[in-house]
Each structure stands twice: as C-alpha cells, then as structure tokens.
C-alpha cells in the first residue's frame, strides 16, 4: 500500500503526533507513506523539484512533542480553503486535474487530510471526484464538527491562554486596571469560555452570546465598587461589537480577517468606566509551541485509527472523538454544522454560577438571578451531633 498524508490550513499543536501515529501504524503493516508539503499545494507539480517526501518511522519518531508540522502548511494558495463568512471552498478544474495526476502517478491508494473546516470541505471535493479520502479534524478553535467532542490543538491553546491570563492578572492587580485579552476562535467562543473559566476571568465575551456594552460596563463598575482591584475581560475575536464583527485587512490577499475587537473594547471600556484599561492580543502564541499531553494522545489516536479505516477501505469519512472512543462520521456530516458554544449548555451555566459576566445581564439582573435560586426558607445550621444522611461527606 502507498498512502499520502497532508495537513492543510492553519497549523495547531498535535499535527506531528497524528503524523507519528499514522506512520508508526502504517509501517507495522509494511505500507509506504508519502507526506505532502505545504498542504494541498504539495499535490501540484513544482518546477525543479518535488513537494513530497517518504515518511519513515526514523523521520517521525518522537515528533509528537513538537508544535507546528514537519510537513509545513498553508491557508492560502491554489485550494481556496476559507469557509467562514468570508468565502467558500472551491477548486478550479485544472488544479484538481493536476492534483489527481500526482495521486495517480504515485499510485496512492488513499489520501489522509489533517485539517479544519476549510480543508475538510476541500477533502470533500476530492471525495466527490471519487478519490479515497479520510479526514482528521484539527483546529485550536474546537469549532469543527458537532459529532466530535474535541479537536486536537484546542486544549493546548486553552492552556496557553490560561497561563497568559494568570500572568496578566498580577500586573493588572498591581495597577488596579481593567485588562482586555483578545483570543482566537474564529466564529466560536470555545477558547475564550474555557480559558475564562480556567483563569478566573470576570468577563467572557463570545460570539454565541450577544453582549450589550452598557451591561458589561455596569457589571464592571459594580465589581470595582465592591473593592475588586483588577478586572479581566476575555474577548473572542469573533464576538460582535454593537452587532458587527471587528475585522482587519489581511496583507497578502486584501481579504478581511477577524481581529481588533480587543483594542476597540479597551478604548470603550476606559472611556465608559473611567478606569485605566489596557489590552493584549494573544494571537499566534495560541497556536504555537508544544502540544499538551491531551493533544499528543488524541493526535496519536487519530493517526492510528486512520490506518485502521484505510485497512477496512472506509473512505469519505472523518474521524471524531465521541466520549472515550475515536469513531468516524461521513465527511458530509463532519462539515455540515460547525460546533458552537450553546448559550444554555452546562458549561455556560457553570460559568454563570462562578459569576462570570457574559454581558447579556446587568449587575442587578445577575444579582436577582442568584437571589431567585436561593431557597425561600433560611438555611438552618446542622447540630454537631446530627448524623450525615446517605451520600453526605463522601
Ligand atoms: O483557524 C485557526 C485560527 O488560528 C483562527 O482562530 C484565527 O482566526 C486564524 O486561524 C488566524 O489565521 P492566520 O494564521 O492566517 O492569521
């Protein structure tokens, strides 16, 4: 068997773990693995050289601990893989024909695509052309597919953000400042929500819960009035300010990209609260560095399971993490619905119980909500001699 593997779109911690897992399991079966460079671009001929290499366990041994990807990647190029609100996946006929020619010339019996939403849609186009494709979901955003509990890369990004917030907190506390921290996530708020909980943020602003700036200001003023020194605001790049996304122009294609809400919010909060406010955009630190152990293990599991799917000749599918099991769904299902934070989910309720401000309630509304949950009768203290009832004290 000769199998091709590539990763496409933005990199994320854990890609190398997938490659290592895949190559190890493939070599146990005496298969040859060809790794394509720089995403789908590696399938296109290049004057004066090839854009792929034979991957052996010698080359991939222990790369599970490294960030980035040994194959290189791109989220631009001939395969339009931007499928957020700014575009959709498409491949022109000539490009597809060239890619198919490479696949045939190398005698590939399967192509494994490690990618996010854009890459999965591109893989779907390959699958529709009759090519045997398997997708492995990757993204720090965790927004890929409703069928998968997590994508690898997400937990590593959350760890980086949480540690950064811990650091920012000490200086914010010293100066009694409001700090606005802008995080990635594309159109989802997973990174902001999880890191906000992990690092005790006061305010978490995410695309899935529309916020009212006046309510955010009201809550911050109430916290400051209660004597709190620092206020930590975590804002997802995809959160809307006054109903609109904040974007910057990307340099290479003149295309609009999410970014800049941290700066805008910082200026507004300083103006509206009167407290000194600074902002910090964590940017690509969230995608860089070594994968955490969860992402290494998930990456390796995905790589190994992809080999098993090929063995069973199950193509046109994407791997998913479903509870403790790695399973698979059709690529169509994987790309059908992005995975977004549900405003009424348990994790959001947990954050609310911690007092996290989402900007959809004023300080008085938040207080009333807590009061509403309190039992009508006064709590009575148990006497010291009272025996614990079943289940208590365990
Ligand atoms: O999709 C992953 C992601 O990191 C997003 O969270 C972010 O919006 C985007 O990629 C950044 O892309 P680039 O590396 O092209 O700036």
């Amino acid at each position: 068997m000769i199998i091709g593997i590539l990763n496409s779109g933005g990199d994320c911690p854990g890609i190398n773990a997938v490659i290592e897992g895949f190559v190890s399991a493939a070599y146990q079966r005496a298969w040859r693995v060809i790794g394509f460079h720089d995403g789908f671009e590696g399938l296109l001929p290049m004057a004066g050289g090839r854009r792929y290499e034979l991957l052996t366990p010698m080359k991939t041994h222990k790369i599970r601990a490294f960030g980035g990807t040994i194959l290189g990647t791109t989220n631009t190029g001939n395969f339009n893989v931007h499928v957020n609100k700014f575009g959709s996946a498409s491949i022109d006929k000539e490009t597809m024909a060239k890619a198919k020619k490479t696949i045939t010339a190398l005698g590939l019996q399967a192509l494994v695509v490690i990618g996010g939403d854009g890459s999965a849609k591109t893989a779907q186009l390959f699958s529709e052309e009759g090519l045997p494709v398997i997708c492995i979901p990757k993204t720090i955003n965790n927004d890929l597919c409703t069928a998968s509990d997590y994508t690898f890369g997400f937990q590593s990004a959350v760890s980086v953000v949480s540690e950064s917030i811990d650091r920012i907190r000490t200086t914010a506390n010293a100066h009694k400042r409001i700090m606005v921290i802008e995080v990635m996530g594309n159109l989802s708020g997973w990174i902001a929500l999880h890191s906000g909980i992990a690092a005790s943020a006061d305010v978490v602003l995410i695309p899935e819960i529309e916020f009212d700036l006046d309510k955010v200001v009201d809550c911050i003023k109430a916290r400051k009035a209660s004597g709190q020194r620092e206020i930590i605001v975590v804002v997802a790049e995809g959160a809307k300010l006054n109903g609109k996304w904040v974007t910057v122009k990307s340099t290479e294609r003149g295309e609009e990209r999410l970014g800049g809400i941290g700066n805008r919010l910082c200026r507004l909060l300083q103006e509206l609260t009167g407290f000194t406010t600074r902002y910090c955009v964590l940017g690509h630190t969230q995608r860089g560095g070594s994968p955490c152990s969860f992402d290494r293990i998930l990456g390796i599991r995905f790589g190994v399971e992809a080999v098993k799917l090929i063995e069973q000749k199950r193509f046109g599918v994407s791997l998913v993490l479903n509870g403790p099991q790695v399973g698979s769904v059709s690529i169509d299902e994987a790309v059908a619905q992005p995975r977004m934070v549900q405003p009424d989910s348990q994790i959001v309720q947990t954050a609310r119980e911690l007092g996290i401000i989402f900007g959809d309630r004023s300080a008085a509304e938040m207080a009333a909500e807590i009061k509403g949950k309190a039992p009508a009768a006064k709590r009575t203290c148990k006497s010291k001699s009272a025996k614990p009832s079943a289940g208590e004290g365990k």
Side-chain angles (χ1 to χ4, degrees):
M1 291 271 265
I2 307 174
I3 314 295
I5 188 166
L6 61 83
N7 51 253
S8 175
D11 66 305
C12 80
I15 294 179
N16 286 327
V18 177
I19 296 171
E20 184 177 353
F22 185 79
V23 171
S24 295
Y27 267 72
Q28 304 242 27
R29 290 156 175 82
W31 299 357
R32 282 154 67 87
V33 180
I34 292 177
F36 292 93
H37 298 166
D38 302 325
F40 289 96
E41 298 299 304
L43 293 168
L44 302 180
M46 184 177 67
R50 44 165 79 152
R51 305 167 96 175
Y52 53 84
E53 64 186 292
L54 189 67
L55 294 177
T56 61
M58 280 272 277
K59 275 189 190 162
T60 58
H61 186 44
K62 294 183 188 160
I63 61 168
R64 70 190 77 173
F66 305 154
T69 159
I70 59 161
L71 293 175
T73 191
T74 180
N75 56 9
T76 58
N78 292 287
F79 299 83
N80 184 353
V81 293
H82 287 270
V83 289
N84 59 18
K85 84 178 186 77
F86 308 115
S88 61
S90 60
I91 306 173
D92 71 66
K93 278 193 177 142
E94 209 183 315
T95 305
M96 178 59 94
K98 283 182 187 164
K100 274 174 122 176
K101 203 171 161 192
T102 306
I103 291 171
T104 314
L106 290 170
L108 298 188
Q109 278 131 307
L111 180 67
V112 176
V113 175
I114 309 166
D117 51 359
S119 314
K121 290 218 173 183
T122 305
Q124 189 184 28
L125 298 176
F126 274 74
S127 186
E128 283 164 13
E129 290 282 322
L131 295 166
V133 179
I134 288 176
C135 280
I136 299 186
K138 65 109 192 87
T139 169
I140 61 165
N141 302 334
N142 201 36
D143 61 349
L144 240 178
C145 154
T146 45
S148 193
D149 295 341
Y150 290 107
T151 51
F152 66 85
F154 170 66
Q155 302 286 0
S156 302
V158 169
S159 297
V160 169
V161 176
S162 304
E163 196 196 319
S164 306
I165 297 173
D166 291 345
R167 286 174 183 279
I168 289 168
R169 176 181 301 286
T170 59
T171 168
N173 177 279
H175 291 264
K176 290 193 195 166
R177 283 175 175 164
I178 300 174
M179 288 295 307
V180 179
I181 299 146
E182 179 183 314
V183 302
M184 284 184 173
N186 205 2
L187 299 179
S188 76
W190 291 108
I191 297 176
L193 177 61
H194 279 239
S195 59
I197 293 173
S200 318
D202 295 280
V203 184
V204 171
L205 303 175
I206 59 174
E208 296 90 338
I209 301 178
E210 206 177 316
F211 70 91
D212 175 340
L213 192 56
D214 291 336
K215 291 187 174 172
V216 175
V217 168
D218 180 61
C219 292
I220 290 177
K221 281 184 173 168
R223 268 191 202 183
K224 279 285 198 181
S226 74
Q228 191 172 316
R229 289 179 68 89
E230 82 280 5
I231 299 287
I232 301 292
V233 180
V234 181
V235 60
E237 62 181 359
K240 285 182 180 172
L241 184 61
N242 297 323
K244 284 192 187 138
W245 279 299
V246 181
T247 58
V248 285
K249 275 238 158 80
S250 109
T251 46
E252 73 270 25
R253 289 194 293 196
E255 186 184 63
E256 292 284 327
R257 300 183 74 82
L258 292 168
I261 191 167
N263 181 359
R264 292 268 296 278
L265 204 57
C266 171
R267 279 188 278 150
L268 287 167
L269 288 179
Q270 172 148 312
E271 196 181 300
L272 298 171
T273 64
F275 298 111
T276 307
T277 310
R278 297 282 190 270
Y279 76 98
C280 175
V281 182
L282 293 179
H284 293 79
T285 57
Q286 296 162 85
R287 263 190 6 209
S290 294
C292 65
S293 48
F294 180 92
D295 288 336
R296 293 180 197 191
I297 295 166
L298 183 56
I300 292 224
R301 290 178 71 193
F302 277 164
V304 170
E305 291 305 318
V307 167
K308 292 188 190 163
L309 285 180
I310 294 170
E311 212 164 35
Q312 295 158 20
K313 303 218 174 325
R314 290 189 48 215
F315 300 114
V317 294
S318 173
L319 288 167
V320 291
L321 178 68
N322 189 353
Q325 286 298 113
V326 170
S328 62
V329 295
S330 69
I331 300 179
D332 291 349
E333 190 184 336
V335 296
Q337 196 69 35
R339 186 178 156 76
M340 308 299 273
V341 175
Q342 297 304 313
D344 55 357
S345 58
Q346 193 181 50
I347 187 84
V348 172
Q349 295 307 328
T350 300
R352 289 196 194 276
E353 292 285 344
L354 293 171
I356 288 180
I357 297 157
F358 287 99
D360 56 344
R361 290 152 169 70
S362 66
E365 284 164 348
M366 282 179 75
E369 207 167 48
I370 293 167
K371 242 182 165 178
K373 282 179 191 154
K378 270 191 179 173
R379 282 173 194 270
T380 49
C381 286
K382 267 189 209 127
S383 80
K384 277 186 185 162
S385 60
K387 287 202 175 113
S389 60
E392 270 185 1
K394 281 188 180 165

